[in-house]
Each structure stands twice: as structure tokens, then as C-alpha cells.
Coordinates of all heavy atoms in Angstrom, one line a residue:
M1 N 129.6 214.7 272.8 CA 128.9 215.6 272.1 C 129.1 215.5 270.6 O 130.3 215.5 270.3 CB 129.1 217.0 272.6 CG 128.1 218.0 271.9 SD 128.2 219.5 272.9 CE 128.7 220.6 271.6
E2 N 128.2 215.3 269.8 CA 128.5 215.1 268.3 C 128.5 216.3 267.6 O 127.7 217.1 267.8 CB 127.5 214.1 267.8 CG 127.7 213.7 266.3 CD 126.7 212.8 265.8 OE1 126.1 212.0 266.7 OE2 126.4 212.8 264.6
N3 N 129.6 216.6 266.7 CA 129.5 217.7 265.7 C 129.0 217.4 264.4 O 129.5 216.7 263.6 CB 131.1 218.2 265.6 CG 131.2 219.4 264.9 OD1 130.2 219.9 264.3 ND2 132.3 220.0 264.9
N4 N 127.8 217.9 264.2 CA 127.1 217.7 263.0 C 127.6 218.5 261.8 O 127.2 218.3 260.7 CB 125.5 218.0 263.1 CG 125.0 216.9 264.1 OD1 125.4 215.9 264.1 ND2 124.0 217.4 264.8
N5 N 128.6 219.4 262.1 CA 129.1 220.3 260.9 C 130.3 219.5 260.3 O 130.7 220.2 259.4 CB 129.5 221.6 261.6 CG 128.4 222.4 262.1 OD1 127.2 222.3 261.4 ND2 128.5 223.2 263.1
I6 N 130.8 218.5 260.9 CA 132.0 217.8 260.1 C 131.5 217.2 258.9 O 130.5 216.5 258.8 CB 132.5 216.7 261.1 CG1 133.1 217.4 262.3 CG2 133.6 216.0 260.3 CD1 133.5 216.5 263.3
Y7 N 132.2 217.4 257.7 CA 131.9 216.8 256.5 C 132.4 215.3 256.5 O 133.3 215.0 257.0 CB 132.7 217.5 255.4 CG 132.3 218.8 255.1 CD1 133.1 219.9 255.6 CD2 131.2 219.1 254.2 CE1 132.5 221.1 255.3 CE2 130.9 220.4 253.9 CZ 131.6 221.4 254.5 OH 131.1 222.6 254.2
K8 N 131.4 214.5 256.0 CA 131.7 213.1 255.9 C 132.9 212.8 254.9 O 132.9 213.6 253.8 CB 130.5 212.2 255.4 CG 129.5 212.2 256.5 CD 128.3 211.3 256.1 CE 127.3 211.2 257.1 NZ 126.1 210.5 256.9
I9 N 133.8 212.1 255.0 CA 135.0 211.9 254.2 C 134.6 211.0 253.1 O 134.1 210.0 253.2 CB 136.2 211.3 255.0 CG1 136.7 212.2 256.0 CG2 137.2 210.9 254.1 CD1 137.9 211.7 257.0
N10 N 134.6 211.5 251.9 CA 134.3 210.9 250.7 C 135.6 210.9 249.8 O 135.9 212.1 249.3 CB 133.1 211.6 250.0 CG 132.7 210.9 248.8 OD1 133.5 210.2 248.1 ND2 131.4 210.9 248.4
P11 N 136.2 209.7 249.4 CA 137.4 209.8 248.6 C 137.2 210.4 247.3 O 138.2 210.7 246.5 CB 137.8 208.3 248.6 CG 136.7 207.6 248.9 CD 135.9 208.5 249.8
H12 N 135.9 210.5 246.8 CA 135.7 211.1 245.5 C 135.5 212.4 245.3 O 135.6 213.0 244.3 CB 134.4 210.3 244.9 CG 134.5 208.8 244.8 ND1 135.4 208.2 244.0 CD2 134.0 207.8 245.5 CE1 135.2 206.8 244.2 NE2 134.3 206.6 245.1
T13 N 135.1 213.1 246.4 CA 135.1 214.5 246.5 C 136.0 215.4 247.4 O 136.3 216.5 247.3 CB 133.6 215.0 246.9 OG1 133.4 214.3 248.2 CG2 132.6 214.3 245.9
N14 N 136.6 214.7 248.4 CA 137.4 215.4 249.4 C 139.0 215.3 248.9 O 139.4 214.2 248.5 CB 137.3 214.9 250.7 CG 136.0 215.2 251.3 OD1 135.3 216.1 250.8 ND2 135.6 214.6 252.4
K15 N 139.7 216.3 248.9 CA 141.1 216.3 248.4 C 141.8 217.2 249.3 O 141.5 218.1 249.9 CB 141.0 217.0 247.1 CG 142.4 216.8 246.2 CD 142.1 217.3 244.7 CE 143.3 216.8 244.0 NZ 143.0 217.1 242.6
V16 N 143.2 216.6 249.5 CA 144.2 217.4 250.3 C 145.3 217.8 249.2 O 146.0 217.0 248.6 CB 144.7 216.5 251.4 CG1 145.7 217.3 252.2 CG2 143.6 216.1 252.4
I17 N 145.6 219.0 249.2 CA 146.7 219.5 248.1 C 147.5 220.6 248.9 O 147.1 221.2 249.7 CB 146.1 219.9 246.8 CG1 145.1 221.2 247.1 CG2 145.4 218.9 246.0 CD1 144.8 221.9 245.8
S18 N 148.7 220.8 248.3 CA 149.5 221.9 248.6 C 149.7 222.8 247.4 O 150.0 222.4 246.4 CB 150.9 221.4 249.1 OG 151.8 222.5 249.6
V19 N 149.2 224.1 247.6 CA 149.3 225.1 246.5 C 150.2 226.3 246.8 O 150.1 226.8 248.0 CB 148.0 225.5 246.1 CG1 147.9 226.4 244.9 CG2 147.1 224.3 245.9
R20 N 151.0 226.9 246.0 CA 151.9 228.0 246.1 C 150.9 229.1 246.2 O 149.9 229.2 245.5 CB 152.8 228.2 245.1 CG 153.8 226.9 244.9 CD 155.2 227.2 245.6 NE 155.6 228.5 245.8 CZ 156.7 228.9 245.2 NH1 157.2 228.4 244.2 NH2 157.0 230.3 245.5
V21 N 151.3 230.2 247.0 CA 150.4 231.5 247.1 C 151.3 232.6 246.7 O 152.4 232.8 247.1 CB 150.1 231.7 248.7 CG1 149.3 232.9 248.7 CG2 149.2 230.5 249.1
K22 N 150.7 233.4 245.9 CA 151.2 234.6 245.4 C 150.9 235.9 246.2 O 149.7 236.0 246.5 CB 151.1 234.9 243.9 CG 151.7 236.0 243.2 CD 151.2 236.2 241.9 CE 151.7 237.5 241.1 NZ 151.3 237.6 239.7
G23 N 151.9 236.7 246.5 CA 151.6 238.0 247.2 C 151.7 237.9 248.7 O 151.4 239.0 249.3
M24 N 152.1 236.9 249.3 CA 152.3 236.7 250.7 C 153.7 237.2 251.2 O 154.6 236.8 250.6 CB 152.1 235.3 251.1 CG 152.1 235.0 252.6 SD 151.6 233.3 253.1 CE 152.1 232.2 252.0
H25 N 153.8 238.2 252.0 CA 154.9 238.8 252.4 C 155.3 238.7 253.8 O 156.4 239.1 254.1 CB 154.8 240.4 252.0 CG 154.4 240.7 250.7 ND1 155.3 240.5 249.6 CD2 153.3 241.2 250.0 CE1 154.9 240.8 248.4 NE2 153.6 241.3 248.7
C26 N 154.3 238.3 254.7 CA 154.7 238.1 256.0 C 153.9 237.2 256.7 O 152.9 236.6 256.2 CB 154.7 239.4 256.7 SG 153.0 240.1 256.8
A27 N 154.2 236.9 258.1 CA 153.3 235.8 258.8 C 151.9 236.4 258.9 O 151.1 235.5 258.9 CB 154.0 235.7 260.2
S28 N 151.8 237.6 259.1 CA 150.4 238.2 259.2 C 149.7 237.9 257.9 O 148.5 237.6 258.0 CB 150.4 239.7 259.4 OG 149.2 240.3 259.4
C29 N 150.2 238.0 256.7 CA 149.5 237.6 255.5 C 149.1 236.2 255.6 O 147.9 235.8 255.2 CB 150.5 237.8 254.3 SG 151.0 239.4 253.9
A30 N 149.9 235.3 256.0 CA 149.6 233.8 256.2 C 148.3 233.8 257.0 O 147.4 232.9 256.7 CB 150.8 233.1 256.6
G31 N 148.3 234.4 258.1 CA 147.1 234.3 259.0 C 145.9 234.9 258.4 O 144.8 234.2 258.5
I32 N 145.9 236.0 257.6 CA 144.7 236.3 256.9 C 144.3 235.4 255.9 O 143.1 235.2 255.8 CB 145.0 237.7 256.2 CG1 145.4 238.9 257.2 CG2 143.9 238.0 255.2 CD1 145.9 240.1 256.8
I33 N 145.1 234.8 255.1 CA 144.8 233.8 254.1 C 144.2 232.5 254.7 O 143.0 232.1 254.2 CB 146.1 233.6 253.3 CG1 146.4 234.6 252.5 CG2 145.7 232.2 252.3 CD1 147.9 234.5 251.8
E34 N 144.7 232.2 255.9 CA 144.3 230.8 256.5 C 142.8 231.2 257.0 O 141.9 230.3 256.9 CB 145.2 230.5 257.7 CG 144.9 229.2 258.2 CD 146.0 228.8 259.2 OE1 147.2 228.6 258.7 OE2 145.8 228.5 260.4
K35 N 142.6 232.3 257.7 CA 141.3 232.7 258.3 C 140.3 232.7 257.1 O 139.1 232.3 257.3 CB 141.3 234.0 258.9 CG 142.0 233.8 260.4 CD 142.0 235.1 261.0 CE 142.7 235.3 262.3 NZ 142.7 236.4 263.0
T36 N 140.7 233.4 255.9 CA 139.7 233.5 254.8 C 139.3 232.0 254.3 O 138.2 231.8 254.2 CB 140.4 234.3 253.7 OG1 140.7 235.6 254.3 CG2 139.4 234.5 252.6
F37 N 140.2 231.3 254.1 CA 140.0 229.9 253.6 C 139.1 229.2 254.6 O 138.2 228.4 254.1 CB 141.2 229.2 253.2 CG 141.9 229.6 251.9 CD1 143.2 229.5 251.9 CD2 141.1 229.9 250.9 CE1 143.9 229.9 250.6 CE2 141.7 230.3 249.7 CZ 143.1 230.3 249.6
K38 N 139.4 229.2 255.8 CA 138.5 228.4 256.7 C 137.1 228.7 256.9 O 136.3 228.1 257.3 CB 139.3 228.6 258.2 CG 140.5 227.8 258.4 CD 141.1 227.9 259.7 CE 142.3 227.0 259.8 NZ 143.0 227.0 261.1
K39 N 136.8 230.0 256.4 CA 135.5 230.5 256.4 C 134.5 230.0 255.2 O 133.4 230.2 255.1 CB 135.4 232.0 256.4 CG 135.9 232.6 257.6 CD 135.9 234.2 257.7 CE 136.3 234.7 258.8 NZ 136.5 236.3 258.8
V40 N 135.4 229.4 254.1 CA 134.7 229.0 252.9 C 134.0 227.7 253.0 O 134.7 226.8 253.6 CB 135.8 229.0 251.8 CG1 135.1 228.5 250.4 CG2 136.3 230.3 251.5
D41 N 132.8 227.6 252.6 CA 132.0 226.5 252.5 C 132.7 225.3 251.7 O 133.0 225.7 250.6 CB 130.5 226.7 252.2 CG 129.6 225.4 252.2 OD1 129.8 224.8 253.2 OD2 128.7 225.3 251.4
G42 N 133.0 224.3 252.3 CA 133.6 223.1 251.5 C 135.1 222.9 251.9 O 135.6 222.0 251.6
V43 N 135.6 224.1 252.5 CA 137.1 223.9 253.0 C 137.0 223.2 254.4 O 136.3 223.6 255.3 CB 137.7 225.2 253.2 CG1 139.1 225.1 253.9 CG2 137.9 225.9 251.8
L44 N 137.7 222.1 254.4 CA 137.8 221.3 255.7 C 138.9 221.7 256.6 O 138.8 221.9 257.8 CB 137.9 219.9 255.3 CG 136.9 219.1 254.4 CD1 137.2 217.7 254.0 CD2 135.5 219.3 255.0
S45 N 139.9 222.2 255.9 CA 141.1 222.6 256.8 C 142.0 223.4 255.9 O 142.1 223.2 254.7 CB 141.9 221.6 257.4 OG 142.6 220.8 256.5
A46 N 142.8 224.4 256.3 CA 143.7 225.2 255.7 C 144.9 225.5 256.6 O 144.6 225.9 257.8 CB 143.1 226.5 255.2
E47 N 146.1 225.2 256.1 CA 147.3 225.5 256.9 C 148.2 226.2 256.0 O 148.8 225.7 255.0 CB 147.9 224.1 257.3 CG 147.1 223.2 258.1 CD 147.7 221.8 258.5 OE1 149.0 221.7 258.3 OE2 146.9 221.1 258.9
V48 N 148.4 227.6 256.3 CA 149.3 228.4 255.4 C 150.8 228.5 256.0 O 150.9 228.6 257.3 CB 148.7 229.9 255.3 CG1 149.6 230.7 254.3 CG2 147.3 229.8 254.6
N49 N 151.7 228.3 255.3 CA 153.2 228.3 255.8 C 153.8 229.5 254.9 O 154.1 229.4 253.7 CB 153.8 227.1 255.5 CG 155.2 227.0 256.0 OD1 156.0 227.9 255.8 ND2 155.5 225.8 256.6
Y50 N 154.2 230.5 255.7 CA 154.7 231.7 255.2 C 156.2 231.3 254.5 O 156.6 231.7 253.6 CB 154.9 232.9 256.1 CG 155.9 234.0 255.7 CD1 155.5 234.7 254.5 CD2 157.1 234.2 256.3 CE1 156.5 235.7 254.3 CE2 157.9 235.3 256.0 CZ 157.6 235.8 254.8 OH 158.5 236.9 254.5
G51 N 157.0 230.5 255.2 CA 158.3 230.1 254.9 C 158.3 229.4 253.5 O 159.2 229.7 252.8
T52 N 157.3 228.6 253.2 CA 157.3 227.9 251.9 C 156.4 228.6 250.9 O 156.3 228.2 249.8 CB 156.8 226.4 252.1 OG1 155.4 226.4 252.6 CG2 157.7 225.6 253.0
E53 N 155.7 229.7 251.3 CA 154.9 230.5 250.5 C 153.7 229.4 249.9 O 153.4 229.6 248.8 CB 155.5 231.2 249.5 CG 156.4 232.4 250.0 CD 157.1 233.0 248.8 OE1 157.3 232.4 247.8 OE2 157.4 234.3 249.1
A54 N 153.3 228.6 250.7 CA 152.2 227.6 250.3 C 151.1 227.4 251.4 O 151.4 227.7 252.3 CB 153.0 226.2 250.0
V55 N 150.0 226.9 250.8 CA 148.9 226.6 251.6 C 148.6 225.1 251.5 O 148.5 224.5 250.3 CB 147.6 227.5 251.4 CG1 147.2 227.3 250.0 CG2 146.5 227.0 252.3
K56 N 148.4 224.3 252.5 CA 147.8 222.9 252.5 C 146.5 223.0 252.7 O 145.9 223.5 253.7 CB 148.5 222.2 253.5 CG 148.1 220.5 253.5 CD 148.8 219.9 254.5 CE 148.4 218.5 254.6 NZ 148.9 217.7 255.7
L57 N 145.6 222.7 251.8 CA 144.2 222.7 251.8 C 143.6 221.3 251.7 O 144.0 220.5 251.0 CB 143.6 223.5 250.6 CG 143.8 224.9 250.6 CD1 143.6 225.5 249.1 CD2 142.9 225.6 251.6
S58 N 142.5 221.2 252.5 CA 141.7 219.9 252.6 C 140.4 220.5 252.2 O 139.8 221.3 252.9 CB 141.6 219.2 253.8 OG 140.7 218.2 253.9
F59 N 139.7 220.0 251.1 CA 138.5 220.7 250.8 C 137.6 219.6 249.9 O 138.1 218.6 249.5 CB 138.7 221.9 249.9 CG 139.4 221.7 248.5 CD1 138.6 221.5 247.3 CD2 140.7 221.5 248.5 CE1 139.2 221.3 246.2 CE2 141.4 221.3 247.3 CZ 140.7 221.2 246.1
N60 N 136.3 220.0 249.8 CA 135.3 219.0 249.2 C 135.2 219.7 247.7 O 134.7 220.7 247.6 CB 134.1 219.1 250.0 CG 133.0 218.2 249.3 OD1 132.8 218.2 248.1 ND2 132.3 217.6 250.2
E61 N 135.6 218.9 246.8 CA 135.6 219.3 245.3 C 134.1 219.5 244.8 O 133.9 220.2 243.8 CB 136.4 218.2 244.5 CG 137.9 218.4 244.7 CD 138.6 217.4 243.7 OE1 138.2 216.2 243.6 OE2 139.5 217.9 243.0
S62 N 133.2 218.9 245.5 CA 131.8 219.0 245.0 C 131.1 220.4 245.4 O 130.2 220.9 245.0 CB 131.0 218.0 245.5 OG 130.7 217.9 246.8
K63 N 131.9 221.1 246.4 CA 131.4 222.4 246.9 C 132.4 223.5 246.5 O 131.8 224.7 246.3 CB 131.4 222.4 248.4 CG 130.3 221.4 248.9 CD 130.4 221.5 250.6 CE 129.3 220.7 251.1 NZ 128.0 221.3 251.1
I64 N 133.7 223.4 246.2 CA 134.6 224.3 245.8 C 135.6 223.8 245.0 O 136.0 222.7 245.2 CB 135.1 225.1 247.2 CG1 135.8 226.4 246.8 CG2 135.9 224.3 248.0 CD1 134.8 227.4 246.7
N65 N 136.3 224.7 244.3 CA 137.4 224.3 243.5 C 138.6 225.4 243.5 O 138.4 226.4 244.4 CB 137.0 224.0 242.0 CG 136.5 225.4 241.4 OD1 137.0 226.4 241.6 ND2 135.6 225.2 240.4
L66 N 139.7 225.0 243.1 CA 140.8 225.9 243.3 C 140.7 227.2 242.7 O 141.1 228.2 243.3 CB 142.2 225.2 242.8 CG 142.7 224.0 243.5 CD1 143.8 223.4 242.8 CD2 143.0 224.4 245.0
E67 N 140.1 227.3 241.6 CA 139.9 228.7 241.0 C 139.0 229.5 241.8 O 139.3 230.8 242.0 CB 139.2 228.5 239.6 CG 140.1 227.9 238.5 CD 140.2 226.3 238.7 OE1 139.4 225.8 239.4 OE2 141.1 225.8 238.0
N68 N 138.0 228.9 242.4 CA 137.1 229.7 243.3 C 137.7 230.1 244.6 O 137.5 231.2 245.1 CB 135.8 229.0 243.6 CG 134.9 229.2 242.2 OD1 135.0 230.0 241.5 ND2 134.0 228.1 242.0
L69 N 138.5 229.2 245.1 CA 139.4 229.5 246.2 C 140.3 230.6 246.1 O 140.4 231.4 246.9 CB 140.1 228.2 246.8 CG 139.4 227.3 247.4 CD1 140.0 226.0 247.6 CD2 138.8 227.7 248.8
S70 N 141.0 230.7 244.8 CA 141.8 231.7 244.6 C 141.1 233.1 244.6 O 141.5 234.1 245.1 CB 142.6 231.6 243.2 OG 143.4 232.4 243.0
K71 N 139.9 233.1 244.0 CA 139.0 234.3 243.9 C 138.7 234.8 245.3 O 138.4 235.9 245.5 CB 137.8 234.1 243.1 CG 138.0 233.8 241.6 CD 136.8 233.5 240.8 CE 137.1 233.3 239.5 NZ 135.9 232.9 238.6
K72 N 138.5 233.9 246.4 CA 138.4 234.3 247.6 C 139.4 235.2 248.3 O 139.1 236.1 249.1 CB 138.0 233.2 248.4 CG 136.9 232.3 248.1 CD 135.7 233.1 248.5 CE 134.4 232.1 248.2 NZ 133.0 232.6 248.3
I73 N 140.7 235.0 247.8 CA 141.8 235.9 248.5 C 142.2 236.8 247.6 O 142.9 237.6 247.9 CB 142.9 234.8 248.9 CG1 143.5 234.1 247.7 CG2 142.6 233.9 249.9 CD1 144.8 233.3 248.0
E74 N 141.8 236.9 246.3 CA 142.2 238.0 245.4 C 141.9 239.4 245.7 O 142.7 240.2 245.7 CB 141.7 237.6 244.0 CG 142.5 236.6 243.2 CD 142.0 236.0 242.0 OE1 141.0 236.7 241.4 OE2 142.4 235.0 241.4
P75 N 140.8 239.6 246.3 CA 140.3 241.0 246.8 C 141.4 241.5 248.0 O 141.4 242.7 248.3 CB 139.0 240.9 247.4 CG 138.4 239.6 246.7 CD 139.5 238.7 246.5
L76 N 142.0 240.5 248.6 CA 143.0 240.8 249.6 C 144.4 240.9 249.1 O 145.3 241.2 249.9 CB 142.9 239.7 250.6 CG 141.6 239.3 251.3 CD1 141.7 238.1 252.2 CD2 141.0 240.4 252.1
G77 N 144.6 240.9 247.8 CA 145.9 241.0 247.3 C 146.8 239.8 247.1 O 148.0 239.8 246.9
Y78 N 146.1 238.6 247.3 CA 146.9 237.2 247.2 C 146.2 236.5 246.0 O 145.1 236.7 245.6 CB 146.7 236.4 248.4 CG 147.1 237.3 249.7 CD1 146.0 237.7 250.6 CD2 148.3 237.7 249.9 CE1 146.3 238.4 251.6 CE2 148.7 238.5 251.1 CZ 147.7 238.9 252.0 OH 147.9 239.6 253.1
S79 N 146.8 235.4 245.6 CA 146.3 234.5 244.7 C 146.9 233.1 244.7 O 148.1 233.0 245.2 CB 146.3 235.0 243.3 OG 147.6 235.1 242.8
L80 N 146.3 232.0 244.4 CA 146.9 230.8 244.4 C 147.6 230.5 242.9 O 147.0 231.2 241.9 CB 145.9 229.7 244.4 CG 145.0 229.6 245.7 CD1 144.1 228.4 245.7 CD2 146.1 229.5 247.0
I81 N 148.7 230.0 242.9 CA 149.4 229.8 241.6 C 148.8 228.5 241.1 O 149.0 227.4 241.6 CB 150.9 229.7 241.8 CG1 151.4 231.0 242.5 CG2 151.6 229.4 240.5 CD1 152.7 230.9 242.8
L82 N 147.9 228.7 240.1 CA 147.2 227.6 239.6 C 147.7 227.2 238.2 O 146.9 227.1 237.2 CB 145.7 228.0 239.4 CG 145.0 228.3 240.7 CD1 143.6 228.7 240.5 CD2 145.1 227.2 241.6
E83 N 149.0 226.7 238.1 CA 149.4 226.1 236.9 C 149.4 224.7 236.9 O 149.3 224.1 237.9 CB 150.8 226.5 236.7 CG 151.1 228.1 236.6 CD 152.6 228.6 236.5 OE1 153.3 227.6 236.2 OE2 152.8 229.7 236.8
T84 N 149.3 224.0 235.8 CA 149.1 222.6 235.9 C 150.5 222.0 236.1 O 150.6 220.8 236.2 CB 148.6 222.0 234.5 OG1 149.5 222.5 233.4 CG2 147.3 222.5 234.4
D85 N 151.6 222.7 236.2 CA 152.9 222.3 236.4 C 153.0 221.7 237.9 O 152.5 222.4 238.7 CB 153.9 223.4 236.4 CG 155.4 223.1 236.6 OD1 155.5 221.8 236.8 OD2 156.2 223.9 236.3
E86 N 153.4 220.4 237.9 CA 153.5 219.6 239.2 C 154.3 220.3 240.2 O 154.1 220.0 241.3 CB 153.9 218.2 238.9 CG 152.9 217.4 238.3 CD 151.6 217.2 239.0 OE1 151.6 217.1 240.3 OE2 150.5 217.4 238.4
K87 N 155.3 221.3 239.8 CA 156.1 221.9 240.8 C 155.1 222.9 241.6 O 155.6 223.2 242.8 CB 157.2 222.7 240.2 CG 158.3 221.9 239.6 CD 159.4 222.6 239.1 CE 158.9 223.4 237.8 NZ 160.1 224.1 237.1
N88 N 154.1 223.4 241.1 CA 153.3 224.4 241.8 C 152.2 223.9 242.4 O 151.7 224.3 243.4 CB 152.9 225.4 240.8 CG 154.1 226.2 240.2 OD1 155.0 226.6 241.0 ND2 154.1 226.6 239.0
I89 N 151.5 222.8 241.9 CA 150.4 222.2 242.6 C 150.8 220.6 242.8 O 151.0 219.9 241.9 CB 149.0 222.3 241.7 CG1 148.7 223.5 241.5 CG2 148.1 221.4 242.4 CD1 147.6 223.7 240.5
Q90 N 151.0 220.2 244.1 CA 151.3 219.0 244.4 C 150.1 218.2 245.1 O 149.8 218.6 246.2 CB 152.5 219.0 245.2 CG 153.0 217.6 245.8 CD 154.1 217.8 246.7 OE1 154.5 218.8 247.4 NE2 154.7 216.7 246.9
S91 N 149.7 217.1 244.5 CA 148.7 216.4 245.0 C 149.2 215.6 246.2 O 150.1 214.7 245.9 CB 147.9 215.4 244.0 OG 146.8 214.8 244.7
I92 N 148.8 215.8 247.5 CA 149.3 215.2 248.5 C 148.8 213.7 248.6 O 149.3 212.7 248.9 CB 149.3 215.9 249.9 CG1 150.1 217.1 249.7 CG2 149.7 215.0 251.1 CD1 149.8 218.1 250.8
N93 N 147.4 213.7 248.8 CA 146.7 212.5 248.8 C 145.3 212.6 248.7 O 144.7 213.8 248.7 CB 146.9 211.7 250.2 CG 146.5 212.4 251.4 OD1 145.6 213.3 251.3 ND2 147.0 212.2 252.4
Q94 N 144.5 211.7 248.4 CA 143.0 211.6 248.4 C 142.5 211.2 249.8 O 143.0 210.1 250.3 CB 142.5 210.7 247.3 CG 142.8 211.1 246.0 CD 141.9 212.2 245.4 OE1 140.9 212.5 246.0 NE2 142.4 212.8 244.4
V95 N 141.7 212.0 250.4 CA 141.4 211.7 251.7 C 140.5 210.6 251.8 O 139.6 210.5 250.9 CB 140.8 212.9 252.5 CG1 140.1 212.6 253.9 CG2 141.7 214.1 252.5

């Protein structure tokens, strides 16, 4: 059975990154953030780690960007740390 909802991998638009999350206080917070990101159009995967206070995101840059992803979790009391400092945003690879 073929899944037609899978995004085609395009190295020019799909990106995998790890970003720090502000406001995460427990494992339940991590679950809420992960569920929220997975519902966003353009997000291919989201893995939130409470221990490292970070989220590993795979997303389509032509559909969503980091600023808009942060806005999705801000009403819940969280935000992505979007500094250009390489310590906070680490590009893992281009898919």
C-alpha cells in the first residue's frame, strides 16, 4: 500500500536541524511540543528531547520556516531559541 502523504525528498527544500526549546519543564512538555509540530504542514518529523531541551526537526523549507514553527508553540508557553549563534541552532544535514 502506497502512502501518498509522504513528502518527496528534495535537498533544496528539506532540512534536518536541532534547535533548543525555551520553556520546557518536563517530559509532558516535550510530548506536547512534539505533537504540535507533527501536526504542522511541512513538518516531516519532530523528536523532542527533554534532557537536552532541544527538538530535532525535519521540515520542508518551502512550506514552513523556524520562525513560524516557533509561533506554533508560543501560545502553549514555549518557543524555539532562534539565534544565529551556532551553539543554539545546529544544522545536522541536508536531507
Side-chain angles (χ1 to χ4, degrees):
M1 188 163 126
E2 186 177 330
N3 184 349
N4 293 327
N5 294 328
I6 296 175
Y7 292 94
K8 291 183 179 179
I9 295 176
N10 181 335
H12 301 293
T13 58
N14 292 344
K15 190 170 195 172
V16 178
I17 61 166
S18 181
V19 184
R20 302 262 334 253
V21 179
K22 181 179 176 184
M24 186 168 31
H25 303 290
C26 63
S28 179
C29 295
I32 291 167
I33 295 166
E34 191 168 299
K35 283 181 186 178
T36 301
F37 282 145
K38 287 181 176 180
K39 292 178 183 177
V40 176
D41 186 35
V43 173
L44 307 174
S45 69
E47 299 171 21
V48 180
N49 185 316
Y50 167 65
T52 61
E53 296 181 333
V55 58
K56 180 180 175 185
L57 289 164
S58 175
F59 64 100
N60 183 318
E61 288 184 304
S62 69
K63 293 185 177 271
I64 192 80
N65 59 40
L66 289 176
E67 291 80 14
N68 287 333
L69 283 168
S70 187
K71 288 178 185 176
K72 296 288 185 185
I73 59 172
E74 285 172 5
L76 306 172
Y78 315 106
S79 63
L80 297 179
I81 300 174
L82 300 177
E83 298 175 18
T84 56
D85 186 351
E86 287 300 317
K87 289 187 290 187
N88 293 323
I89 299 176
Q90 178 185 15
S91 181
I92 296 174
N93 63 18
Q94 294 284 343
V95 179

